[in-house]
Amino acid sequence: MEIIKGAGQWARPAAGAANDWVEHLRVPDLSVGTYCIPAGGVDDQSPHTEDEIYVVTAGRARIVTTSGEAEVGPGAVIFVPAGEEHRFVDVTEDLTLLVVFGPAYGSRGASPA
């Protein structure tokens, strides 16, 4: 067992950074981290080679994917399959996301172009 302290808690991105990503746990079959985007900020991520689950712990935004879009806020749980283009847009409140990758982030190689 391991208690993952700080997971899902807001962290202001470093000066000049669009967002903040911190990985808290990595084992071969999954990884857990926190992704933060400030209000009005930009989500500049690329599709991932791993399946992904986002849990919104704070903030509000809209997620846009190739399969649809939705408004999200605290408590929303979002599944994004590996390779699907996705972005958080219209971030109206500082957005904090607990992120779970399966298998671990980056373990399947480079993200698709």
XYZ file of all heavy atoms in Angstrom:
831
model
N 0.833 -1.175 0.000
C 0.000 0.000 0.000
C 0.879 1.240 0.000
O 1.975 1.229 0.564
C -0.896 0.031 1.232
C -1.827 1.201 1.136
S -2.501 1.887 2.665
C -1.143 2.180 3.688
N 0.375 2.277 -0.625
C 1.071 3.563 -0.617
C 0.039 4.677 -0.638
O -0.903 4.645 -1.444
C 1.977 3.669 -1.845
C 2.757 4.945 -1.904
C 3.743 4.987 -3.066
O 4.066 3.928 -3.617
O 4.162 6.092 -3.418
N 0.180 5.642 0.235
C -0.652 6.847 0.229
C 0.044 7.844 -0.687
O 1.230 8.142 -0.504
C -0.798 7.446 1.647
C -1.360 6.410 2.622
C -1.637 8.717 1.612
C -2.757 5.932 2.303
N -0.692 8.352 -1.671
C -0.105 9.276 -2.642
C -0.465 10.693 -2.224
O -1.550 11.190 -2.517
C -0.601 8.971 -4.063
C -0.309 7.512 -4.411
C 0.045 9.903 -5.070
C -0.983 7.029 -5.672
N 0.451 11.344 -1.521
C 0.200 12.694 -1.010
C 0.309 13.725 -2.130
O 1.179 13.649 -2.979
C 1.184 13.027 0.102
C 0.970 12.151 1.316
C 1.845 12.537 2.461
C 1.542 11.617 3.631
N 2.283 11.954 4.807
N -0.588 14.685 -2.116
C -0.565 15.788 -3.071
C -1.233 15.494 -4.398
O -1.409 16.399 -5.210
N -1.624 14.262 -4.645
C -2.274 13.928 -5.909
C -3.622 14.635 -6.001
O -4.398 14.634 -5.055
C -2.450 12.423 -6.034
N -3.872 15.272 -7.125
C -5.133 15.958 -7.350
C -5.247 17.322 -6.706
O -6.316 17.906 -6.678
N -4.125 17.873 -6.207
C -4.142 19.205 -5.589
C -3.547 20.242 -6.544
O -2.573 19.969 -7.239
C -3.365 19.189 -4.277
C -4.009 18.325 -3.223
C -3.230 18.304 -1.919
O -2.163 18.884 -1.794
N -3.768 17.614 -0.935
N -4.132 21.434 -6.527
C -3.706 22.529 -7.405
C -2.242 22.904 -7.182
O -1.785 22.994 -6.043
C -4.583 23.767 -7.184
C -4.061 24.992 -7.870
C -3.429 26.044 -7.283
C -4.106 25.279 -9.263
N -3.079 26.976 -8.234
C -3.487 26.529 -9.462
C -4.597 24.605 -10.383
C -3.354 27.120 -10.725
C -4.474 25.178 -11.634
C -3.858 26.430 -11.792
N -1.536 23.133 -8.279
C -0.172 23.674 -8.253
C -0.066 24.685 -9.386
O -0.359 24.355 -10.535
C 0.860 22.570 -8.430
N 0.299 25.904 -9.055
C 0.430 26.937 -10.082
C 1.605 26.585 -10.990
O 2.678 26.254 -10.515
C 0.676 28.310 -9.448
C 0.814 29.417 -10.497
C 0.478 30.790 -10.002
N -0.844 30.936 -9.432
C -1.984 31.002 -10.144
N -1.954 30.911 -11.435
N -3.139 31.175 -9.533
N 1.390 26.643 -12.320
C 2.494 26.389 -13.246
C 3.648 27.367 -13.031
O 3.439 28.503 -12.603
C 1.859 26.598 -14.622
C 0.394 26.345 -14.391
C 0.127 26.867 -13.006
N 4.851 26.915 -13.323
C 6.034 27.776 -13.208
C 5.876 28.981 -14.127
O 5.147 28.926 -15.130
C 7.281 26.986 -13.587
N 6.557 30.067 -13.813
C 6.484 31.285 -14.624
C 6.777 30.949 -16.087
O 7.747 30.272 -16.396
C 7.482 32.317 -14.101
N 5.895 31.379 -16.959
C 6.067 31.164 -18.393
C 5.529 29.830 -18.890
O 5.451 29.600 -20.085
N 5.148 28.925 -17.977
C 4.614 27.620 -18.388
C 3.104 27.711 -18.586
O 2.416 28.418 -17.859
C 4.938 26.563 -17.346
N 2.585 26.991 -19.571
C 1.151 27.002 -19.858
C 0.363 26.174 -18.849
O -0.802 26.439 -18.589
C 0.900 26.481 -21.263
N 1.013 25.148 -18.293
C 0.330 24.243 -17.374
C 1.373 23.533 -16.519
O 2.568 23.782 -16.662
C -0.541 23.249 -18.157
C 0.225 22.642 -19.320
O 1.271 22.033 -19.122
N -0.277 22.828 -20.529
N 0.905 22.655 -15.634
C 1.808 21.950 -14.734
C 1.438 20.474 -14.704
O 0.268 20.136 -14.552
C 1.695 22.533 -13.319
C 2.669 21.898 -12.341
O 3.873 22.162 -12.476
O 2.221 21.147 -11.467
N 2.431 19.587 -14.875
C 2.229 18.138 -14.800
C 3.228 17.569 -13.811
O 4.425 17.843 -13.903
C 2.431 17.481 -16.162
C 2.649 15.995 -16.082
C 3.817 15.330 -16.300
C 1.690 14.991 -15.759
N 3.645 13.976 -16.132
C 2.338 13.737 -15.792
C 0.333 15.024 -15.420
C 1.694 12.541 -15.515
C -0.315 13.828 -15.148
C 0.358 12.604 -15.199
N 2.739 16.801 -12.849
C 3.602 16.139 -11.875
C 3.162 14.682 -11.798
O 1.974 14.404 -11.562
C 3.487 16.788 -10.475
C 4.280 16.002 -9.445
C 3.923 18.230 -10.507
N 4.095 13.766 -12.000
C 3.796 12.350 -11.837
C 4.071 11.969 -10.386
O 5.138 12.267 -9.860
C 4.655 11.515 -12.787
C 4.291 10.052 -12.775
C 5.061 9.267 -13.809
O 6.280 9.062 -13.599
O 4.454 8.884 -14.818
N 3.106 11.298 -9.752
C 3.225 10.944 -8.340
C 3.556 9.473 -8.119
O 4.149 9.120 -7.107
C 1.908 11.229 -7.601
C 1.458 12.638 -7.700
N 2.067 13.678 -7.041
C 0.435 13.184 -8.407
C 1.434 14.812 -7.328
N 0.448 14.533 -8.145
N 3.144 8.616 -9.051
C 3.334 7.179 -8.886
C 3.515 6.557 -10.249
O 2.806 6.913 -11.197
C 2.105 6.557 -8.210
C 2.099 5.030 -8.120
C 3.073 4.562 -7.033
C 0.699 4.508 -7.855
N 4.459 5.613 -10.348
C 4.676 4.880 -11.597
C 4.997 3.435 -11.261
O 5.927 3.160 -10.508
C 5.824 5.484 -12.390
C 6.215 4.645 -13.622
C 7.361 5.269 -14.373
N 6.909 6.404 -15.127
C 6.487 6.352 -16.398
N 6.482 5.217 -17.048
N 6.093 7.440 -17.014
N 4.196 2.537 -11.797
C 4.468 1.112 -11.796
C 4.231 0.667 -13.244
O 3.661 1.425 -14.035
C 3.569 0.342 -10.793
C 3.881 0.765 -9.356
C 2.101 0.535 -11.093
N 4.662 -0.512 -13.639
C 4.549 -0.877 -15.056
C 3.141 -0.755 -15.645
O 2.982 -0.331 -16.791
C 5.042 -2.326 -15.087
C 6.012 -2.404 -13.951
C 5.406 -1.540 -12.880
N 2.113 -1.104 -14.885
C 0.769 -1.142 -15.455
C -0.038 0.139 -15.341
O -1.111 0.238 -15.933
C -0.024 -2.299 -14.843
C 0.527 -3.647 -15.286
O 1.108 -3.725 -16.382
O 0.382 -4.620 -14.519
N 0.446 1.134 -14.575
C -0.269 2.413 -14.498
C 0.630 3.490 -13.912
O 1.652 3.211 -13.302
C -1.565 2.292 -13.683
C -1.471 2.017 -12.190
C -1.378 3.310 -11.400
C -2.700 1.260 -11.754
N 0.224 4.718 -14.128
C 0.871 5.848 -13.457
C -0.210 6.837 -13.074
O -1.295 6.866 -13.658
C 1.947 6.497 -14.332
O 1.413 6.996 -15.537
N 0.083 7.630 -12.049
C -0.859 8.607 -11.508
C -0.141 9.944 -11.399
O 1.006 10.008 -10.939
C -1.364 8.187 -10.107
C -2.253 9.254 -9.500
C -2.079 6.854 -10.175
N -0.817 11.000 -11.819
C -0.231 12.327 -11.708
C -1.303 13.382 -11.583
O -2.506 13.081 -11.585
N -0.854 14.617 -11.473
C -1.749 15.768 -11.393
C -1.408 16.721 -12.518
O -0.238 17.044 -12.736
C -1.600 16.487 -10.039
O -1.857 15.551 -8.988
C -2.578 17.642 -9.920
N -2.444 17.151 -13.243
C -2.292 18.091 -14.356
C -3.104 19.330 -14.003
O -4.299 19.225 -13.699
C -2.809 17.440 -15.639
C -2.605 18.222 -16.905
C -1.400 18.852 -17.197
C -3.621 18.309 -17.845
C -1.216 19.545 -18.382
C -3.445 18.993 -19.036
C -2.235 19.608 -19.300
O -2.050 20.293 -20.486
N -2.464 20.506 -14.014
C -3.124 21.765 -13.652
C -3.026 22.765 -14.793
O -1.946 22.953 -15.363
C -2.475 22.361 -12.403
S -2.582 21.315 -10.945
N -4.152 23.401 -15.089
C -4.206 24.455 -16.108
C -4.885 25.658 -15.461
O -6.021 25.555 -14.991
C -5.020 24.014 -17.340
C -4.510 22.677 -17.901
C -4.994 25.097 -18.415
C -5.432 22.047 -18.931
N -4.215 26.823 -15.430
C -4.846 27.990 -14.812
C -6.013 28.516 -15.649
O -6.078 28.274 -16.863
C -3.707 29.008 -14.748
C -2.744 28.590 -15.794
C -2.876 27.109 -15.934
N -6.918 29.233 -15.004
C -8.030 29.865 -15.713
C -7.466 30.676 -16.877
O -6.491 31.408 -16.714
C -8.822 30.754 -14.769
N -8.063 30.495 -18.053
C -7.597 31.184 -19.253
C -6.373 30.547 -19.869
O -5.887 31.005 -20.915
N -5.856 29.475 -19.263
C -4.631 28.832 -19.740
C -4.858 27.946 -20.949
O -5.978 27.760 -21.425
N -3.757 27.383 -21.428
C -3.753 26.578 -22.649
C -3.342 25.141 -22.323
O -2.361 24.917 -21.616
C -2.767 27.178 -23.676
C -2.650 26.293 -24.907
C -3.188 28.587 -24.058
N -4.089 24.200 -22.855
C -3.754 22.782 -22.762
C -3.002 22.435 -24.044
O -3.586 22.390 -25.119
C -5.036 21.969 -22.645
C -4.792 20.475 -22.573
O -3.624 20.051 -22.530
O -5.793 19.730 -22.572
N -1.701 22.191 -23.930
C -0.871 21.968 -25.118
C -0.447 20.505 -25.280
O 0.511 20.205 -25.974
C 0.353 22.878 -25.086
C 1.220 22.672 -23.860
O 0.901 21.816 -23.016
O 2.229 23.397 -23.732
N -1.179 19.577 -24.673
C -0.796 18.175 -24.753
C -1.096 17.565 -26.119
O -1.930 18.066 -26.869
C -1.473 17.373 -23.645
C -2.981 17.289 -23.765
C -3.577 16.500 -22.644
O -3.116 15.415 -22.324
N -4.619 17.040 -22.020
N -0.397 16.482 -26.410
C -0.606 15.681 -27.616
C -1.286 14.379 -27.204
O -1.257 14.009 -26.030
C 0.745 15.352 -28.265
O 1.403 16.523 -28.662
N -1.867 13.650 -28.177
C -2.460 12.358 -27.821
C -1.420 11.445 -27.175
O -0.234 11.524 -27.489
C -2.912 11.791 -29.165
C -3.063 12.975 -30.046
C -2.023 13.958 -29.590
N -1.892 10.580 -26.298
C -1.005 9.667 -25.577
C -1.120 8.260 -26.145
O -2.136 7.897 -26.728
C -1.372 9.653 -24.089
C -1.507 11.014 -23.512
N -0.448 11.882 -23.367
C -2.596 11.677 -23.067
C -0.875 13.009 -22.848
N -2.177 12.923 -22.656
N -0.103 7.463 -25.934
C -0.106 6.080 -26.401
C -0.742 5.143 -25.385
O -0.851 3.951 -25.629
C 1.327 5.616 -26.707
O 2.143 5.804 -25.542
C 1.924 6.410 -27.869
N -1.176 5.680 -24.248
C -1.810 4.895 -23.192
C -3.245 5.374 -22.979
O -3.553 6.524 -23.235
C -1.040 5.039 -21.864
C 0.401 4.607 -21.925
C 1.314 5.622 -22.596
O 1.035 6.840 -22.541
O 2.307 5.188 -23.204
N -4.105 4.472 -22.509
C -5.444 4.884 -22.090
C -5.301 5.819 -20.894
O -4.330 5.736 -20.137
C -6.285 3.672 -21.687
C -6.658 2.786 -22.861
O -6.744 3.282 -24.002
O -6.885 1.579 -22.632
N -6.291 6.695 -20.729
C -6.176 7.736 -19.702
C -7.532 7.996 -19.058
O -8.559 8.016 -19.733
C -5.675 8.996 -20.404
C -5.389 10.169 -19.565
C -4.760 11.290 -20.395
O -4.854 11.280 -21.632
O -4.194 12.183 -19.764
N -7.496 8.198 -17.750
C -8.680 8.635 -17.018
C -8.333 9.936 -16.313
O -7.287 10.048 -15.665
C -9.135 7.593 -15.986
C -9.669 6.359 -16.707
C -10.200 8.176 -15.049
C -10.069 5.237 -15.799
N -9.196 10.938 -16.476
C -9.086 12.212 -15.765
C -10.191 12.259 -14.716
O -11.338 11.936 -15.012
C -9.336 13.393 -16.701
C -8.294 13.652 -17.738
C -8.493 13.247 -19.065
C -7.126 14.341 -17.436
C -7.558 13.527 -20.042
C -6.183 14.624 -18.405
C -6.406 14.208 -19.704
O -5.475 14.483 -20.668
N -9.846 12.722 -13.521
C -10.842 13.026 -12.496
C -10.667 14.501 -12.170
O -9.587 14.921 -11.728
C -10.644 12.176 -11.220
C -11.691 12.552 -10.176
C -10.695 10.687 -11.545
N -11.697 15.296 -12.417
C -11.623 16.728 -12.130
C -11.797 16.908 -10.628
O -12.838 16.568 -10.069
C -12.700 17.527 -12.900
C -12.601 19.009 -12.575
C -12.603 17.280 -14.404
N -10.752 17.434 -9.970
C -10.842 17.659 -8.525
C -11.199 19.108 -8.204
O -11.683 19.388 -7.113
C -9.535 17.270 -7.802
O -8.464 18.056 -8.301
C -9.230 15.781 -8.012
N -10.951 20.024 -9.147
C -11.301 21.444 -8.960
C -11.308 22.121 -10.321
O -10.605 21.713 -11.247
C -10.295 22.126 -8.036
N -12.102 23.182 -10.421
C -12.111 23.997 -11.629
C -13.176 23.595 -12.626
O -13.910 22.622 -12.440
N -13.227 24.390 -13.704
C -14.227 24.162 -14.763
C -13.596 24.441 -16.109
O -12.791 25.360 -16.264
C -15.433 25.064 -14.574
C -16.133 24.789 -13.261
C -17.551 25.288 -13.216
N -18.137 24.956 -11.933
C -18.663 23.777 -11.636
N -18.697 22.826 -12.525
N -19.156 23.538 -10.442
N -14.003 23.626 -17.097
C -13.505 23.775 -18.467
C -14.415 22.964 -19.382
O -15.431 22.411 -18.951
C -12.064 23.280 -18.571
N -14.012 22.883 -20.623
C -14.686 22.039 -21.603
C -13.627 21.118 -22.174
O -12.518 21.560 -22.469
C -15.305 22.921 -22.691
C -16.228 22.205 -23.636
C -17.114 23.187 -24.432
N -16.391 24.295 -24.978
C -15.899 24.357 -26.230
N -16.054 23.348 -27.046
N -15.255 25.418 -26.642
N -13.937 19.830 -22.312
C -13.024 18.916 -22.982
C -13.545 18.690 -24.395
O -14.758 18.511 -24.591
C -12.831 17.576 -22.230
C -11.738 16.764 -22.919
C -14.124 16.822 -22.056
C -11.209 15.598 -22.134
N -12.626 18.734 -25.352
C -12.954 18.523 -26.754
C -12.107 17.355 -27.242
O -10.883 17.372 -27.092
C -12.655 19.787 -27.589
C -12.937 19.543 -29.057
C -13.447 20.979 -27.064
N -12.770 16.342 -27.796
C -12.079 15.178 -28.352
C -12.613 14.919 -29.754
O -13.600 15.548 -30.172
C -12.313 13.913 -27.490
O -13.649 13.456 -27.689
C -12.060 14.187 -26.012
N -12.007 13.980 -30.449
C -12.506 13.629 -31.782
C -13.865 12.937 -31.706
O -14.592 12.911 -32.692
C -11.502 12.733 -32.523
O -11.182 11.615 -31.700
C -10.225 13.492 -32.848
N -14.222 12.416 -30.521
C -15.504 11.723 -30.389
C -16.594 12.575 -29.728
O -17.713 12.112 -29.561
C -15.318 10.416 -29.610
O -14.836 10.666 -28.311
N -16.268 13.818 -29.336
C -17.281 14.680 -28.739
C -16.687 15.729 -27.836
O -15.465 15.880 -27.745
N -17.550 16.475 -27.159
C -17.097 17.489 -26.209
C -18.107 17.614 -25.084
O -19.265 17.235 -25.231
C -16.856 18.836 -26.886
C -18.068 19.468 -27.525
C -17.705 20.779 -28.209
O -17.052 20.736 -29.256
O -18.096 21.838 -27.676
N -17.621 18.110 -23.931
C -18.495 18.235 -22.764
C -17.928 19.255 -21.798
O -16.706 19.435 -21.706
C -18.636 16.889 -22.059
N -18.824 19.898 -21.052
C -18.432 20.760 -19.941
C -18.048 19.851 -18.786
O -18.715 18.833 -18.552
C -19.591 21.671 -19.525
C -20.086 22.605 -20.611
C -19.092 23.694 -20.971
O -18.389 24.179 -20.057
O -19.013 24.037 -22.161
N -16.968 20.198 -18.075
C -16.547 19.380 -16.939
C -16.286 20.266 -15.727
O -15.909 21.429 -15.856
C -15.297 18.526 -17.271
C -15.615 17.519 -18.365
C -14.114 19.384 -17.659
N -16.493 19.684 -14.558
C -16.247 20.367 -13.300
C -15.945 19.327 -12.236
O -15.817 18.130 -12.534
N -15.833 19.764 -10.978
C -15.466 18.849 -9.896
C -16.317 17.585 -9.879
O -17.543 17.638 -9.998
C -15.684 19.689 -8.640
C -15.456 21.096 -9.111
C -16.051 21.135 -10.501
N -15.633 16.453 -9.792
C -16.296 15.161 -9.753
C -16.426 14.477 -11.096
O -16.705 13.277 -11.149
N -16.227 15.205 -12.192
C -16.322 14.582 -13.513
C -15.192 13.578 -13.696
O -14.052 13.823 -13.288
C -16.257 15.647 -14.613
N -15.522 12.440 -14.292
C -14.542 11.404 -14.612
C -14.607 11.198 -16.124
O -15.681 10.930 -16.667
C -14.846 10.082 -13.870
C -13.832 9.011 -14.252
C -14.850 10.314 -12.361
N -13.454 11.322 -16.781
C -13.384 11.292 -18.238
C -12.426 10.200 -18.671
O -11.285 10.159 -18.201
C -12.877 12.646 -18.780
C -13.721 13.794 -18.238
C -12.833 12.647 -20.307
C -12.919 15.001 -17.844
N -12.867 9.328 -19.573
C -11.988 8.309 -20.155
C -11.608 8.754 -21.562
O -12.479 9.099 -22.364
C -12.682 6.945 -20.227
C -11.897 5.936 -21.020
C -10.712 5.413 -20.519
C -12.331 5.536 -22.270
C -9.974 4.488 -21.250
C -11.604 4.613 -23.009
C -10.422 4.092 -22.495
N -10.307 8.737 -21.862
C -9.806 9.050 -23.204
C -8.964 7.853 -23.650
O -7.938 7.548 -23.032
C -8.955 10.338 -23.216
C -8.441 10.621 -24.622
C -9.753 11.529 -22.698
N -9.386 7.157 -24.723
C -8.607 6.014 -25.175
C -7.270 6.435 -25.787
O -7.129 7.564 -26.274
C -9.505 5.350 -26.219
C -10.448 6.399 -26.664
C -10.585 7.371 -25.519
N -6.324 5.531 -25.766
C -5.003 5.786 -26.338
C -5.140 6.309 -27.764
O -5.950 5.811 -28.542
C -4.183 4.502 -26.323
N -4.362 7.343 -28.068
C -4.309 7.894 -29.424
C -5.367 8.913 -29.766
O -5.280 9.563 -30.804
N -6.395 9.091 -28.919
C -7.461 10.051 -29.250
C -7.002 11.481 -28.963
O -6.542 11.792 -27.864
C -8.736 9.762 -28.464
C -9.874 10.696 -28.877
C -11.212 10.310 -28.283
O -11.276 10.079 -27.060
O -12.188 10.235 -29.037
N -7.141 12.347 -29.954
C -6.836 13.773 -29.805
C -7.804 14.348 -28.777
O -9.014 14.083 -28.826
C -7.021 14.474 -31.153
C -6.651 15.920 -31.169
C -5.153 16.164 -31.177
O -4.415 15.433 -31.834
O -4.727 17.121 -30.492
N -7.271 15.129 -27.822
C -8.138 15.736 -26.804
C -7.481 16.985 -26.225
O -6.256 17.083 -26.185
C -8.470 14.732 -25.697
C -7.275 14.204 -24.958
N -6.404 13.281 -25.492
C -6.811 14.463 -23.713
C -5.456 13.000 -24.617
N -5.677 13.704 -23.517
N -8.319 17.935 -25.793
C -7.846 19.180 -25.202
C -8.882 19.700 -24.223
O -10.083 19.544 -24.425
C -7.700 20.276 -26.256
C -6.680 20.069 -27.260
C -5.623 21.162 -27.231
N -4.661 20.912 -28.261
C -3.814 19.906 -28.317
N -3.813 19.015 -27.381
N -2.971 19.770 -29.293
N -8.385 20.359 -23.172
C -9.263 21.120 -22.294
C -9.219 22.557 -22.793
O -8.131 23.126 -22.989
C -8.798 21.023 -20.836
C -9.019 19.651 -20.261
C -8.015 18.697 -20.298
C -10.242 19.308 -19.710
C -8.219 17.424 -19.785
C -10.463 18.031 -19.196
C -9.448 17.092 -19.236
N -10.383 23.128 -23.049
C -10.476 24.494 -23.567
C -11.436 25.280 -22.680
O -12.135 24.716 -21.840
C -10.954 24.510 -25.046
C -9.969 23.771 -25.942
C -12.351 23.925 -25.183
N -11.475 26.588 -22.893
C -12.374 27.454 -22.132
C -12.266 27.193 -20.633
O -13.267 26.959 -19.940
C -13.831 27.290 -22.588
C -14.020 27.578 -24.065
O -13.264 28.411 -24.609
O -14.917 26.968 -24.683
N -11.036 27.206 -20.131
C -10.788 26.967 -18.712
C -11.222 28.228 -17.961
O -10.541 29.254 -18.019
C -9.302 26.626 -18.447
C -9.063 26.368 -16.967
C -8.863 25.431 -19.289
N -12.368 28.163 -17.281
C -12.928 29.345 -16.627
C -12.521 29.451 -15.158
O -12.622 30.519 -14.574
C -14.460 29.357 -16.728
O -14.975 28.159 -16.147
C -14.904 29.459 -18.194
N -12.119 28.327 -14.548
C -11.608 28.303 -13.175
C -10.369 27.419 -13.179
O -10.316 26.445 -13.933
C -12.644 27.690 -12.217
C -13.945 28.454 -12.123
C -14.977 27.713 -11.269
O -14.618 26.734 -10.579
O -16.151 28.112 -11.314
N -9.375 27.750 -12.351
C -8.160 26.937 -12.281
C -8.552 25.457 -12.268
O -9.295 25.017 -11.389
C -7.348 27.259 -11.023
C -6.730 28.650 -11.065
O -6.647 29.260 -12.156
O -6.302 29.119 -9.989
N -8.049 24.714 -13.262
C -8.448 23.325 -13.458
C -7.398 22.382 -12.880
O -6.219 22.475 -13.213
C -8.619 23.050 -14.953
C -9.184 21.700 -15.350
C -10.617 21.533 -14.840
C -9.150 21.545 -16.868
N -7.844 21.483 -12.004
C -6.964 20.480 -11.403
C -7.512 19.110 -11.746
O -8.681 18.817 -11.482
C -6.882 20.651 -9.879
O -6.530 22.004 -9.575
C -5.831 19.725 -9.287
N -6.649 18.279 -12.335
C -7.047 16.960 -12.801
C -6.152 15.891 -12.199
O -4.922 15.992 -12.287
C -6.923 16.898 -14.328
C -7.707 17.954 -15.094
C -7.088 18.205 -16.446
C -9.151 17.538 -15.223
N -6.754 14.896 -11.588
C -6.036 13.701 -11.187
C -6.050 12.811 -12.424
O -7.097 12.582 -13.016
C -6.744 13.009 -10.021
C -6.101 11.733 -9.507
C -4.736 12.035 -8.886
C -7.006 11.060 -8.500
N -4.871 12.348 -12.854
C -4.750 11.615 -14.111
C -4.196 10.221 -13.842
O -3.189 10.079 -13.152
C -3.820 12.366 -15.095
C -3.827 11.683 -16.450
C -4.212 13.830 -15.217
N -4.861 9.217 -14.418
C -4.400 7.832 -14.314
C -4.170 7.317 -15.726
O -5.066 7.387 -16.573
C -5.441 6.949 -13.597
C -4.957 5.512 -13.519
C -5.754 7.499 -12.212
N -2.959 6.828 -15.996
C -2.613 6.234 -17.282
C -2.484 4.726 -17.124
O -1.918 4.251 -16.137
C -1.258 6.751 -17.783
C -1.266 8.144 -18.297
C -0.845 9.186 -17.489
C -1.670 8.425 -19.594
C -0.822 10.488 -17.968
C -1.658 9.717 -20.070
C -1.235 10.752 -19.262
N -2.964 3.967 -18.109
C -2.770 2.536 -18.113
C -2.383 2.063 -19.502
O -3.113 2.332 -20.439
N -1.252 1.444 -19.671
C -0.184 1.271 -18.696
C 0.468 2.615 -18.369
O -0.035 3.651 -18.796
C 0.792 0.308 -19.381
C 0.574 0.546 -20.840
C -0.880 0.911 -20.985
N 1.589 2.610 -17.671
C 2.239 3.842 -17.216
C 2.506 4.799 -18.379
O 2.802 4.378 -19.501
C 3.541 3.521 -16.487
N 2.384 6.099 -18.091
C 2.594 7.166 -19.070
C 3.920 6.982 -19.807
O 4.972 6.804 -19.184
C 2.567 8.516 -18.361
C 2.862 9.694 -19.254
C 1.963 10.092 -20.217
C 4.049 10.407 -19.127
C 2.218 11.164 -21.034
C 4.302 11.487 -19.944
C 3.390 11.866 -20.897
O 3.666 12.934 -21.705
N 3.857 6.998 -21.128
C 5.056 6.903 -21.955
C 5.622 5.507 -22.114
O 6.606 5.314 -22.811
N 5.002 4.512 -21.504
C 5.573 3.162 -21.535
C 5.383 2.451 -22.879
O 6.079 1.490 -23.158
C 4.991 2.300 -20.415
O 3.615 2.109 -20.593
N 4.490 2.959 -23.687
C 4.270 2.365 -25.015
C 5.072 3.081 -26.098
O 4.826 2.891 -27.274
C 2.788 2.389 -25.374
C 1.959 1.434 -24.566
C 0.546 1.422 -25.074
N -0.242 0.417 -24.383
C -1.575 0.432 -24.381
N -2.243 1.376 -25.014
N -2.228 -0.512 -23.749
N 5.989 3.939 -25.710
C 6.802 4.651 -26.689
C 6.298 6.056 -26.924
O 5.490 6.574 -26.166
N 6.778 6.664 -27.994
C 6.463 8.056 -28.311
C 4.986 8.226 -28.628
O 4.341 7.319 -29.147
C 7.303 8.531 -29.481
N 4.454 9.408 -28.290
C 3.073 9.734 -28.647
C 2.956 9.832 -30.154
O 3.893 10.248 -30.833
C 2.664 11.061 -28.017
O 2.614 10.948 -26.624
N 1.799 9.450 -30.720
C 1.633 9.564 -32.157
C 1.694 11.011 -32.609
O 1.322 11.912 -31.880
C 0.254 8.958 -32.410
C -0.404 8.800 -31.095
C 0.630 8.938 -30.034
N 2.161 11.239 -33.817
C 2.292 12.618 -34.353
C 0.966 13.139 -34.806
O 0.045 12.449 -35.077
C 3.277 12.619 -35.494
